[in-house]
Amino acid sequence: MPRVRSPHLLAGLLAGAGVAHFLAPKQFDAIVPRALPGSPRAWTYASGAMELALAAGVALPHTRERAATVTAAFFVAVAPANVKMALDWRDRPAPLRRAARARVPLQVPLVLWARKVARDAG
């Protein structure tokens, strides 16, 4: 993937996910780990806002390196929500179960992608 496109694709992914947190918050509320203090909706909106901020940072060349580094950490931080979803969806139909399980290992290439964008920007 060309250097210029990769950051913009990552920014688009983050922006899309961020917007989704505000348009359909209920689905995100359900995967907020119960151990977190406060309401799930607050965490849903906070993570959506963070994704939008990271999208803007990754899209702009002068903030790309720092934003991509924080994006990699963010992808690690939200992994417990994906684990919770995979566990909670054990009784769902097979295609949904597989999709939920696939989200867990998908965090690894996302982290690596964000780290590469940061390295390339440096």
Side-chain angles (χ1 to χ4, degrees):
M1 191 168 285
R3 258 176 129 154
V4 174
R5 285 187 153 158
S6 183
H8 293 114
L9 289 172
L10 179 59
L13 174 86
L14 289 162
V19 168
H21 280 69
F22 291 95
L23 294 180
K26 190 174 180 182
Q27 68 183 3
F28 296 99
D29 294 348
I31 64 172
V32 172
R34 291 181 193 96
L36 292 174
S39 74
R41 182 62 50 94
W43 286 102
T44 294
Y45 286 156
S47 61
M50 182 67 159
E51 285 171 323
L52 291 171
L54 290 170
V58 169
L60 300 171
H62 66 282
T63 57
R64 183 170 296 147
E65 182 178 8
R66 171 68 96 192
T69 299
V70 175
T71 297
F74 177 80
F75 286 147
V76 171
V78 300
N82 293 332
V83 170
K84 182 180 183 311
M85 182 179 186
L87 292 172
D88 289 349
W89 285 29
R90 287 178 292 203
D91 297 329
R92 300 268 177 119
L96 294 176
R97 236 183 6 253
R98 282 192 293 273
R101 287 180 188 153
R103 288 179 60 140
V104 177
L106 181 61
Q107 293 305 112
V108 174
L110 290 173
V111 169
L112 295 175
W113 183 16
R115 289 184 62 205
K116 182 178 180 342
V117 168
R119 275 194 314 274
D120 290 349

